[in-house]
Amino acid sequence: MRSRIVYYGRVQGVGFRWNVADAMKYFTLTGTVQNLTDGTVEVVLEGDLKEIKDAKLAIDSRMKGYWITNETEYKEGEAHFS
């Protein structure tokens, strides 16, 4: 399963990517985090759906106060990250 989450708000220049990477130490997921040119941050997670949802909750909680809203999509498919 793959999830793509885009966070909106004051999410660049606040350690968002570092905090996501640090939070993911507790999960067996793969993926990527990157700043997008429109000022948002994109998080792509691959793995078990329940673990993806738990990881998203961890990110949401850890970065509360920086993001205003997010868009999340889930897709089935083969993993692209290792």
Side-chain angles (χ1 to χ4, degrees), residues 1-35:
M1 182 65 72
R2 172 183 289 154
S3 174
R4 178 179 181 265
I5 311 161
V6 178
Y7 286 93
Y8 298 84
R10 198 178 102 217
V11 294
Q12 291 191 7
V14 297
F16 202 98
R17 290 177 300 151
W18 182 90
N19 276 287
V20 170
D22 188 58
M24 293 305 101
K25 291 188 299 190
Y26 305 102
F27 298 94
T28 58
L29 300 170
T30 58
T32 183
V33 182
Q34 64 180 347
N35 289 338

Side-chain angles (χ1 to χ4, degrees), residues 2-78:
R2 172 183 289 154
S3 174
R4 178 179 181 265
I5 311 161
V6 178
Y7 286 93
Y8 298 84
R10 198 178 102 217
V11 294
Q12 291 191 7
V14 297
F16 202 98
R17 290 177 300 151
W18 182 90
N19 276 287
V20 170
D22 188 58
M24 293 305 101
K25 291 188 299 190
Y26 305 102
F27 298 94
T28 58
L29 300 170
T30 58
T32 183
V33 182
Q34 64 180 347
N35 289 338
L36 301 180
T37 58
D38 64 358
T40 61
V41 171
E42 176 189 60
V43 178
V44 176
L45 301 173
E46 293 181 339
D48 177 72
L49 179 59
K50 180 183 180 336
E51 194 168 26
I52 288 173
K53 288 183 176 184
D54 289 346
K56 182 184 179 307
L57 288 174
I59 297 166
D60 291 354
S61 175
R62 185 180 272 220
M63 297 310 296
K64 172 176 76 172
Y66 293 102
W67 62 276
I68 295 169
T69 189
N70 65 70
E71 294 177 2
T72 306
E73 61 184 41
Y74 300 97
K75 294 182 180 179
E76 290 190 33
E78 294 183 28

